[in-house]
Amino acid sequence: ESEIPEDHPRYESLLTRHRIEHGVDLGITSKQGLIAEGRGEAFDYLLGEETLPSADAAARAAAAHLLLADHPVLSVNGNVAALVPGEIVDLAEATGADIEVNLFNRTDERMRAIADHLREHGASDVKGLTADGRIPGLSHERAKVDADGIGDADVVVVPLEDGDRAEALGAMGKTEIVIDLNPMSRSAQVAAVPIVDNILRAVPNVTRHAEELADASDAELREIVESFDREAALEEAERAIREGDLD
Ligand code: PTJ
C-alpha cells in the first residue's frame, strides 16, 4: 500500500484496487469481486468520491437501527473482508453486532480464509461456518447461514450484496441496511436503509454515529430511524450521479 503516493489524485481508488487484488492473492476475494470493484469505482467516480449528505443521514439511521436491534449481524463477503476488515470489527464492537461470513460464491477455503483474516483483525467470534440455517427461496450454497447468526437476526448489514439475496433476507422480515455505491441496484432499492457510499467511508461513518449515539435514549434512536427517508436518499444519490460535476 505504501507504494501509492498519497498525493495521487486517485489515491483512494488505487488503494482500494490494491486491497482487492491482495484479497484475491490471499484467497479471500473472488475473481467476480474484481469485477464488482470496477463497477463500484465507476459509481464512486460519478459521485465525486465523497459522502453525500443523504448517505451520512443513512449512516446515522443505520447506527440507530443497530443500537435498537435485539440481534444485529454484519454480513461479510470477499470484498468486504479485503477492504474493511478492521473497520467491520470496530463497528461490531460499537453496536454489539455479530459478524457472519456469507458468500455468493461459497467455498470452504474462502469461508475459512475470511474468518481467519477477520480474527487477525481482532474479531473474537466469527459466524457463518456452522451453516445450520437457510434463507428460503435461494439456491442451496447462497442460502446457507448460521441459525444463531443471520438466521436469528432482526437487523442485518449487507454490504455489496447481490439483489436476490437482499430481497430474500427482506422477505424473512429482517431489517436490511445495504451499503452499495449503485443507488439503482436491486439491493439498494429493497433496503430499509440504503447507504449509497463507498464501503471504505461508510463503515467508519456508521461506527462514528454509533459511538456518538451510545447514550441516546430508545425514543431518540426511534426518532432518527423514523425520520430517515429512504426514497429521498436514493433520489439524491441518483441525481448526484446524473448531474454531478466531474473533475
Ligand atoms: O465474496 P462473494 O463470493 O460473496 O462475492 C461478492 C460479490 C461482490 C462478487 C458479489 O456479491 C457480486 O457479484 O456482487 P455484484 O452483483 O457485483 O454487486 C456488487 C455491488 O457493490 C455493485 O452494485 C457495486 O456497485 C457495489 N460496490 C462495489 N464496490 C463497492 C461497492 N459499493 C460500495 N463500496 C464499494 N467499495
Side-chain angles (χ1 to χ4, degrees):
E1 295 191 357
S2 57
E3 288 158 38
I4 308 164
E6 275 187 46
D7 61 351
H8 191 286
R10 307 226 83 75
Y11 175 74
E12 236 183 61
S13 84
L14 291 177
L15 184 69
T16 311
R17 228 180 257 186
H18 186 87
R19 286 190 189 169
I20 289 285
E21 265 187 71
H22 188 55
V24 174
D25 290 342
L26 290 175
I28 285 173
T29 310
S30 68
K31 286 184 192 160
Q32 279 190 39
L34 292 168
I35 298 168
E37 163 65 21
R39 233 189 324 255
E41 270 182 41
F43 281 106
D44 205 15
Y45 178 74
L46 293 169
L47 284 165
E49 294 169 351
E50 275 173 9
T51 300
L52 294 173
S54 56
D56 185 57
R60 193 166 179 82
H65 268 295
L66 289 168
L67 292 170
L68 282 168
D70 289 327
H71 185 189
V73 177
L74 314 179
S75 180
V76 172
N77 66 19
N79 286 52
V80 177
L83 291 175
V84 286
E87 292 85 347
I88 283 286
V89 173
D90 291 344
L91 177 59
E93 274 170 16
T95 58
D98 280 336
I99 297 175
E100 177 160 343
V101 184
N102 186 249
L103 300 182
F104 183 75
N105 297 299
R106 185 185 177 107
T107 66
D108 280 344
E109 288 83 2
R110 279 181 68 227
M111 290 295 293
R112 274 197 299 271
I114 292 172
D116 287 346
H117 189 64
L118 291 167
R119 283 192 209 99
E120 278 162 26
H121 284 82
S124 47
D125 184 27
V126 179
K127 294 189 187 290
L129 290 105
T130 313
D132 52 350
R134 293 289 178 275
I135 305 171
L138 280 183
S139 64
H140 191 64
E141 287 304 309
R142 293 167 58 217
K144 288 183 175 175
V145 292
D146 278 15
D148 68 350
I150 289 175
D152 175 66
D154 55 345
V155 176
V156 194
V157 177
V158 281
L160 281 68
E161 184 60 84
D162 79 291
D164 278 357
R165 197 166 40 197
E167 261 181 342
L169 283 170
M172 289 175 85
K174 300 182 190 303
T175 298
E176 267 185 295
I177 297 163
V178 162
I179 301 171
D180 193 319
L181 278 158
N182 178 3
M184 287 151 295
S185 78
R186 245 191 321 145
S187 44
Q189 293 284 336
V190 300
V193 181
I195 307 177
V196 182
D197 200 4
N198 195 318
I199 189 168
L200 287 178
R201 298 188 296 269
V203 171
N205 200 24
V206 178
T207 303
R208 184 176 63 79
H209 282 296
E211 285 167 352
E212 243 177 64
L213 294 169
D215 298 323
S217 66
D218 280 9
E220 284 172 82
L221 295 174
R222 260 185 239 109
E223 163 61 25
I224 293 169
V225 161
E226 275 154 30
S227 62
F228 173 70
D229 185 343
R230 60 180 298 284
E231 303 298 331
L234 290 169
E235 274 166 31
E236 186 187 325
E238 193 175 330
R239 193 167 50 241
I241 287 170
R242 291 188 192 280
E243 298 171 8
D245 299 318
L246 299 178
D247 53 32

